[in-house]
Amino acid sequence: MAETPKPAASQETVVTDTPAAPKAKPAAKRAATRAASGSASAAGKEPSAAKKATSKAAGTKTAATKKTTPRADSATSTAKKPTAATPKAKAAPKPKAAAKKAAPKTASPAATKPASARMTKAQKEAADKIFAERLARHHDELRWLYMELYDNGDMFAELCDQMKHFFDERSTKLKELDAQREAAGAWYRASDMLGMQMYIDNFAGTIKGVEEKLDYVQQCNVNYLHLMPFLDTPADKSRSDGGYAVSDFRRVKPELGTMDDLAHLADECHERGISLCMDFVMNHTSEDHEWARRARAGEGEYMSRYFFVKDQGIIDRYTRDVPQVFPTTAPGHFTYLPELDQCVMTQFYPYQWDLNYRNPRVFNEMMYNFLFLANQGMDIIRIDAVPYIWKQLGTNCRNLKQVHTIVRMMRMIGEIVCPGIVLLGEVVMAPVEVVPYFGTVEKPECHMLYNVTTMATTWNTVACRDTRLLRSQLDAVFGLPREYTFLNYLRCHDDIGWGLDYGTLSAWGMAEVPHKQFLNDYFCGVAPGSVSRGELYNADPVTGDARFCGTTASMCGIEAAGFEGDEAAMDVAIRKDIMLHAYMFTQSGLPIIYSGDEIGQVNDYSYKEDPEKAADSRYIHRGAFDWGLTENIEKPGTIQQRIFSALAQLEDIRRTEAIFGAEAEVCTKDYSDTSILWIVRRAGGRELHAVFNFSDDAKTVWMPETATHTDLMSGTTAEVTTVDMPSWSFIWMLK
Ligand code: GLC
């Protein structure tokens, strides 16, 4: 793209913004001191110091101290002038040099056979024309946003050159898929889509292993596979955050395979009509990433890609204003680095260094990584922890408007280079913060978002046997424009945080802290009458807050009933599990099953024996897939057969009945009994009454009118006035 390079204004900005100066003893000493007192206080010995604790002791999980703040705001803090360690010239490499540097490092089938390699001149011209048209469609807005954020024409020109480079590199097959998907529109909204998320090692050992197991994936009716993080991370699992601490965005973790294996798997998936989703962890890198290693060595250019702080005042302000992500397993927002005598921002774990998106070099390079991965054949890119990517002192550093600018730019960059791909935003925030990530219909951001509040509210309903809150949450979602596509799930690889509408709950007499306590007691199985099993995650002694971990089956009571050998309880637990899946499939959007849920896999407590995992209770629901259990799928009466075949039937109905189409009108219906959830779908003159009994008692429900209905599960058609529903059961009645 021909953009006249301008003097690189941001070279100065980047360096100025870099609170680099690696040696400043006094601040460092304060940091160390605070780290020590933080640890003590976290252990409950020194409450007042505990409140002050803000940074993480480097490489440990103990509480620590400091906080800092981001660049421009922190211009007050440190190095304004480039030091020997922060060479100005390096901050913004010239377009050509950068283009070379950004070229894919690892060969793969998709990348090594770029469309351009085998093209005739005419074909090349046609491809160039497509690129030019797409770029023209977005150029002005993209440039406007880029300049607003970075005011750097050189870097924008480089970005445009690189988009063309990745477009040229994109394989003919992927370009054809792009064209098909552009023509089809929102392909990911089709009601025959069914997703599954899985860890490669847990499921099949390696990427090649997954490819060998694709028949099973298809047996589950799955045509969207989310492979949990597989890029290179530190081998020590206590420093990898389940793969979310990436040390190389262009290399697969060696024990899982190679980029070639990945591209091969993607190719095979596409042949079978399966799309692949991967995580793009854009908020941070591992401390082992080359940038972090060079920053730790004091190279200014690389320090400017993260947030370094020496000023305790800034750290304190940050601590005051920004909520903690992992208050127990990784308290604080900063980690002290003795080598530099400074703190680096680490909002998640101390080994996950927050990237500085105020530096255009970071934005550009991360976009090149994104395009590189898209070119390996990825269809859905899950943008991890995206609300956190922009930091500004004096705010809570979540969902800032610059985050939306970046996501909007990412959407346009995708539409220019690889329009077949989908951006899935991981926005685990209050509903009011989630929806803006769709952008607007004219200026969209993410294609899909997690339906996180609905998920948490669903489990709240299970514990309370009261559907009122869920109804109001579903009404809010159903009232959104239909273009807004949600990913629906009962649970994922993370803990369940109780992000509920406490305004409404407290009006009903349920205050936040005791209510969370009730939910955690219920799901841990300590509340009277609870059949759930699981463990707390990040129980915060200061706020009294805690999140919850456990598999769907264990939360439904399958683990407890199995342990106690209680067949009647097992029947109820299995019914509850199936009902919840039916409820998930009733909603519009993309349903995702967590690998193992299709056979009712229960909690795996073996993580406690592994010192690298023991501190993170999320591993309780990340156990290895039990292939032995799949042998029971065909054996009538087994737990696995009962769940697997019921889900298969639900999936089949959802795929073939037009009433489940994305265009249907969906609403909830008021019903006199608050333990009954009633969802209505209307399309093509038909009406589906989906009714769910969230109670321990059998119920008789009255249909709105006596009329001929087809029970989609049994296939019988009859005039229906009332329906008898066992506890925790559901009906799908089509009128
Ligand atoms: C996301 C992931 C979570 C991870 C965090 C930090 O929230 O889902 O597993 O710990 O990002 O990368």
Side-chain angles (χ1 to χ4, degrees):
M1 168 55 209
E3 169 93 9
T4 318
K6 284 212 236 130
S10 72
Q11 289 187 8
E12 190 60 42
T13 312
V14 170
V15 176
T16 307
D17 271 350
T18 308
K23 310 262 166 204
K25 299 235 153 96
K29 273 196 192 117
R30 282 198 305 276
T33 313
R34 198 57 80 71
S37 66
S39 292
S41 57
K45 291 179 194 147
E46 204 180 300
S48 59
K51 280 198 195 118
K52 284 204 109 189
T54 56
S55 83
K56 307 167 197 213
T60 76
K61 293 202 177 85
T62 54
T65 34
K66 329 275 117 202
K67 58 183 358 117
T68 233
T69 207
R71 22 245 38 292
D73 331 280
S74 66
T76 49
S77 67
T78 39
K80 285 212 170 185
K81 287 184 198 151
T83 63
T86 59
K88 191 172 172 183
K90 271 193 179 176
K94 293 216 168 70
K96 276 192 182 155
K100 259 192 202 156
K101 196 170 133 192
K105 282 189 213 162
T106 316
S108 72
T112 52
K113 291 183 208 137
S116 51
R118 284 160 285 118
M119 279 178 171
T120 63
K121 192 162 170 264
Q123 283 169 329
K124 176 92 176 65
E125 279 170 9
D128 287 351
K129 189 159 167 268
I130 290 174
F131 180 81
E133 280 168 6
R134 290 196 199 139
L135 182 59
R137 207 178 305 143
H138 293 297
H139 177 269
D140 290 356
E141 189 194 346
L142 184 57
R143 185 172 196 285
W144 175 271
L145 293 178
Y146 193 95
M147 295 304 277
E148 185 185 54
L149 216 51
Y150 298 123
D151 190 22
N152 188 327
D154 283 359
M155 293 292 287
F156 181 71
E158 182 198 298
L159 175 66
C160 292
D161 286 347
Q162 285 295 300
M163 285 194 286
K164 180 65 165 60
H165 162 77
F166 283 104
F167 173 80
D168 289 341
E169 286 287 304
R170 195 155 170 86
S171 74
T172 307
K173 268 190 181 175
L174 292 176
K175 282 181 172 157
E176 282 166 5
L177 199 55
D178 288 337
Q180 280 167 27
R181 287 173 169 173
E182 271 189 305
W187 60 273
Y188 48 91
R189 292 178 65 215
S191 60
D192 64 353
M193 293 284 297
L194 176 65
M196 180 175 274
Q197 73 170 112
M198 59 171 61
Y199 284 91
I200 293 169
D201 53 349
N202 283 343
F203 183 71
T206 60
I207 293 175
K208 281 193 172 129
V210 173
E211 193 169 326
E212 283 159 20
K213 300 285 190 191
L214 286 179
D215 285 348
Y216 175 75
V217 169
Q218 288 188 295
Q219 196 188 344
C220 297
N221 294 319
V222 164
N223 52 9
Y224 165 121
L225 211 51
H226 177 183
L227 299 175
M228 299 306 291
F230 51 74
L231 294 177
D232 209 7
T233 61
D236 172 357
K237 288 195 169 52
S238 68
R239 290 201 304 121
S240 79
D241 187 19
Y244 286 96
V246 177
S247 49
D248 189 339
F249 289 95
R250 300 200 182 189
R251 181 169 193 248
V252 169
K253 212 171 160 48
E255 59 264 41
L256 299 178
T258 63
M259 262 313 156
D260 278 351
D261 296 345
L262 182 71
H264 196 275
L265 171 66
D267 210 30
E268 179 59 25
C269 283
H270 290 155
E271 291 292 318
R272 293 173 180 244
I274 301 172
S275 50
L276 272 188
C277 171
M278 76 171 288
D279 287 86
F280 185 54
V281 187
M282 61 187 297
N283 178 68
H284 42 257
T285 72
S286 155
E287 64 181 341
D288 285 10
H289 189 283
E290 185 192 349
W291 297 355
R293 284 195 279 105
R294 297 181 75 165
R296 199 193 275 274
E299 286 190 49
E301 181 192 338
Y302 292 92
M303 291 179 77
S304 74
R305 298 181 187 198
Y306 301 95
F307 296 97
F308 283 90
V309 182
K310 304 163 68 97
D311 182 336
Q312 183 62 38
I314 289 173
I315 291 182
D316 287 342
R317 283 178 65 193
Y318 196 88
T319 302
R320 185 191 62 199
D321 297 338
V322 183
Q324 303 211 30
V325 181
F326 297 137
T328 315
T329 50
H333 301 290
F334 293 88
T335 296
Y336 175 65
L337 303 177
E339 311 85 319
L340 294 177
D341 203 3
Q342 295 195 48
C343 287
V344 67
M345 184 188 288
T346 55
Q347 289 201 88
F348 289 80
Y349 283 102
Y351 50 78
Q352 288 167 311
W353 293 15
D354 283 66
L355 283 168
N356 174 13
Y357 279 89
R358 286 172 186 258
N359 181 344
R361 172 57 53 209
V362 167
F363 175 78
N364 279 27
E365 293 294 337
M366 289 302 282
M367 290 306 101
Y368 308 154
N369 286 332
F370 154 56
L371 295 175
F372 171 82
L373 293 165
N375 276 357
Q376 307 310 305
M378 296 302 106
D379 302 284
I380 299 97
I381 305 280
R382 174 188 183 272
I383 42 181
D384 182 64
V386 66
Y388 301 80
I389 61 176
W390 194 271
K391 284 86 177 171
Q392 187 158 323
L393 191 62
T395 72
N396 69 356
C397 298
R398 307 280 193 269
N399 310 301
L400 299 181
K401 76 176 184 2
Q402 293 86 346
V403 173
H404 289 280
T405 301
I406 288 177
V407 179
R408 175 71 190 136
M409 288 200 287
M410 213 170 158
R411 171 77 178 241
M412 288 190 277
I413 290 166
E415 286 185 2
I416 293 166
V417 179
C418 43
I421 61 127
V422 162
L423 291 184
L424 165 63
E426 193 227 0
V427 183
V428 180
M429 296 280 152
V432 67
E433 301 288 6
V434 173
V435 173
Y437 284 86
F438 282 120
T440 62
V441 174
E442 299 75 39
K443 295 189 191 316
E445 296 178 20
C446 292
H447 298 81
M448 253 194 312
L449 294 172
Y450 282 84
N451 204 347
V452 58
T453 307
T454 300
M455 184 275 293
T457 311
T458 301
W459 290 109
N460 174 71
T461 312
V462 169
C464 298
R465 286 87 153 169
D466 178 346
T467 64
R468 287 177 298 163
L469 193 69
L470 184 55
R471 243 197 99 194
S472 85
Q473 165 62 18
L474 290 174
D475 283 343
V477 173
F478 296 159
L480 294 170
R482 279 176 223 171
E483 290 82 5
Y484 292 0
T485 306
F486 280 103
L487 185 147
N488 296 310
Y489 61 121
L490 293 175
R491 67 145 316 107
C492 68
H493 65 292
D494 279 330
D495 48 293
I496 299 176
W498 301 116
L500 307 173
D501 175 358
Y502 289 102
T504 302
L505 278 177
S506 48
W508 295 336
M510 291 172 253
E512 179 167 346
V513 172
H515 190 65
K516 283 182 176 167
Q517 176 80 50
F518 159 74
L519 292 171
N520 285 321
D521 285 352
Y522 177 84
F523 285 108
C524 285
V526 298
S530 168
V531 293
S532 171
R533 296 291 180 268
E535 291 179 347
L536 297 185
Y537 179 67
N538 269 284
D540 183 345
V542 179
T543 60
D545 206 354
R547 287 116 75 169
F548 178 79
C549 299
T551 70
T552 304
S554 287
M555 293 175 78
C556 286
I558 290 175
E559 178 182 336
F563 184 75
E564 287 154 17
D566 183 337
E567 276 181 35
M570 182 62 84
D571 288 349
V572 178
I574 291 177
R575 229 167 36 229
K576 188 187 284 182
D577 187 303
I578 295 168
M579 182 200 89
L580 289 175
H581 281 92
Y583 146 82
M584 172 170 77
F585 292 146
T586 304
Q587 297 166 61
S588 295
L590 173 65
I592 301 280
I593 291 177
Y594 193 85
S595 169
D597 279 6
E598 77 282 10
I599 51 167
Q601 223 173 301
V602 297
N603 291 338
D604 177 356
Y605 297 89
S606 67
Y607 80 96
K608 291 173 191 288
E609 314 303 322
D610 181 343
E612 292 182 5
K613 294 180 177 171
D616 194 332
S617 54
R618 292 176 300 178
Y619 284 105
I620 197 175
H621 54 248
R622 296 176 181 174
F625 185 70
D626 190 340
W627 284 99
L629 292 178
T630 61
E631 286 161 19
N632 292 342
I633 288 172
E634 310 284 341
K635 292 188 192 144
T638 59
I639 298 168
Q640 294 72 33
Q641 181 271 333
R642 290 162 75 187
I643 296 178
F644 193 89
S645 64
L647 297 198
Q649 190 187 357
L650 294 169
E651 289 150 10
D652 202 39
I653 295 171
R654 185 175 198 273
R655 198 173 44 243
T656 51
E657 288 286 346
I659 199 77
F660 289 97
E663 298 310 319
E665 183 196 318
V666 194
C667 60
T668 65
K669 184 175 131 41
D670 200 8
Y671 193 72
S672 51
D673 182 336
T674 56
S675 62
I676 297 292
L677 176 72
W678 199 305
I679 300 177
V680 182
R681 296 185 66 92
R682 292 194 185 91
R686 316 277 326 249
E687 206 168 75
L688 177 78
H689 291 272
V691 187
F692 306 90
N693 180 4
F694 278 85
S695 100
D696 297 320
D697 302 318
K699 303 273 166 152
T700 299
V701 294
W702 288 74
M703 300 305 285
E705 56 177 332
T706 301
T708 303
H709 289 84
T710 301
D711 177 339
L712 293 179
M713 291 302 283
S714 69
T716 50
T717 301
E719 196 165 83
V720 182
T721 307
T722 60
V723 184
D724 293 331
M725 298 182 68
S727 66
W728 302 104
S729 67
F730 77 100
I731 50 169
W732 272 353
M733 287 286 185
L734 186 61
K735 186 167 84 105

